[in-house]
Amino acid sequence: AQSVTQLGSHVSVSEGALVLLRCNYSSSVPPYLFWYVQYPNQGLQLLLKYTTGATLVKGINGFEAEFKKSETSFHLTKPSAHMSDAAEYFCAVSDLGANNLFFGTGTRLTVIP
Amino acid sequence: GAVVSQHPSWVICKSGTSVKIECRSLDFQATTMFWYRQFPKQSLMLMATSNEGSKATYEQGVEKDKFLINHASLTLSTLTVTSAHPEDSSFYICSARVQSGERYNEQFFGPGTRLTVL
């Protein structure tokens, strides 16, 4: 069975500051890991994903995440926050077949001018 | 590429009526689509997996007679909320899974449909 825990339902950062959104997962099989962003009243947009290979994954809008098996983590980072990054971020895990996505509860990112 | 649309984007209906939501993959074929439900400030919960040409697979606790799913073509799945009640008010999001190519098995999400039942 798979599950995802996102620590911190709400994160606030100043514009230009580092963004760090935490995600820990539980999986009985090698996981596929995803980060999605959701803007108000919109669907989800894929930021990045890890399947196999390099553990540091780069995504769109300057975001990246690192898969750390020993820590069962897949934290999302961005060196410098922009106002446009304000949104809800969801971490998700699936099995190798990507048949089902299990989502975390989400983290709302606020960027302070 | 890999665009998924939903229609309508929002709907308000009276209690007891039925509402149909469409999910379309615009530029790719999808034998598998997924329906999620999202309550305010909460995560997405998978309701059912829609399979083209066969019956949908429902998650535990989801009433299949209340949430009717039809996947009649490779680009269209519909979710019908029958005899809707206020507790069915929610944000419904669909996704479609890519079957081939570089983004094989990746799910692309629609923009969602906000249902309000009065």
Side-chain angles (χ1 to χ4, degrees):
Chain A
Q2 285 108 348
S3 66
V4 173
T5 301
Q6 290 184 242
L7 295 177
S9 59
H10 195 175
V11 170
S12 294
V13 300
S14 297
E15 191 175 14
L18 171 72
V19 176
L20 171 61
L21 305 182
R22 299 178 184 275
C23 172
N24 288 88
Y25 70 91
S26 172
S27 178
S28 56
V29 298
Y32 282 5
L33 295 160
F34 306 80
W35 274 100
Y36 288 90
V37 61
Q38 183 182 35
Y39 296 99
N41 295 313
Q42 295 186 28
L44 275 67
Q45 180 182 3
L46 180 67
L47 277 178
L48 49 79
K49 65 178 179 181
Y50 168 80
T51 54
T52 59
T55 56
L56 181 62
V57 181
K58 294 185 184 299
I60 63 171
N61 301 339
F63 285 93
E64 62 182 37
E66 186 171 10
F67 169 57
K68 292 187 177 180
K69 184 177 179 180
S70 61
E71 299 178 7
T72 61
S73 69
F74 191 57
H75 302 329
L76 181 71
T77 61
K78 181 174 181 178
S80 176
H82 293 167
M83 296 299 296
S84 60
D85 294 327
E88 188 87 18
Y89 291 81
F90 291 95
C91 181
V93 64
S94 75
D95 57 26
L96 291 178
N99 290 318
N100 286 348
L101 284 170
F102 296 90
F103 287 88
T105 51
T107 298
R108 180 168 298 278
L109 175 67
T110 299
V111 181
I112 303 167
Chain B
V3 178
V4 176
S5 69
Q6 280 184 243
H7 178 79
S9 56
W10 59 270
V11 57
I12 301 173
C13 68
K14 292 183 178 180
S15 186
T17 61
S18 295
V19 174
K20 179 185 284 188
I21 303 170
E22 294 185 348
C23 177
R24 293 182 185 272
S25 56
L26 297 184
D27 50 3
F28 67 102
Q29 294 182 332
T31 55
T32 304
M33 294 185 177
F34 302 88
W35 286 97
Y36 296 85
R37 184 173 180 176
Q38 185 181 30
F39 290 105
K41 298 183 180 181
Q42 294 188 28
S43 188
L44 282 73
M45 298 299 295
L46 180 65
M47 298 175 64
T49 301
S50 172
N51 303 296
E52 187 269 336
S54 64
K55 292 182 179 180
T57 304
Y58 290 82
E59 295 300 301
Q60 191 173 8
V62 178
E63 299 176 60
K64 62 180 181 180
D65 294 330
K66 181 167 185 62
F67 297 99
L68 300 179
I69 291 173
N70 183 276
H71 194 155
S73 78
L74 289 172
T75 59
L76 173 64
S77 175
T78 61
L79 168 69
T80 301
V81 183
T82 62
S83 186
H85 291 284
E87 57 265 29
D88 298 323
S89 298
S90 189
F91 196 49
Y92 293 87
I93 301 175
C94 75
S95 71
R97 190 165 69 191
V98 175
Q99 301 170 203
S100 62
E102 188 178 300
R103 306 188 82 162
Y104 173 71
N105 245 3
E106 185 173 331
Q107 289 187 35
F108 287 86
F109 288 81
T113 296
R114 184 163 300 284
L115 170 63
T116 301
V117 184
L118 302 176

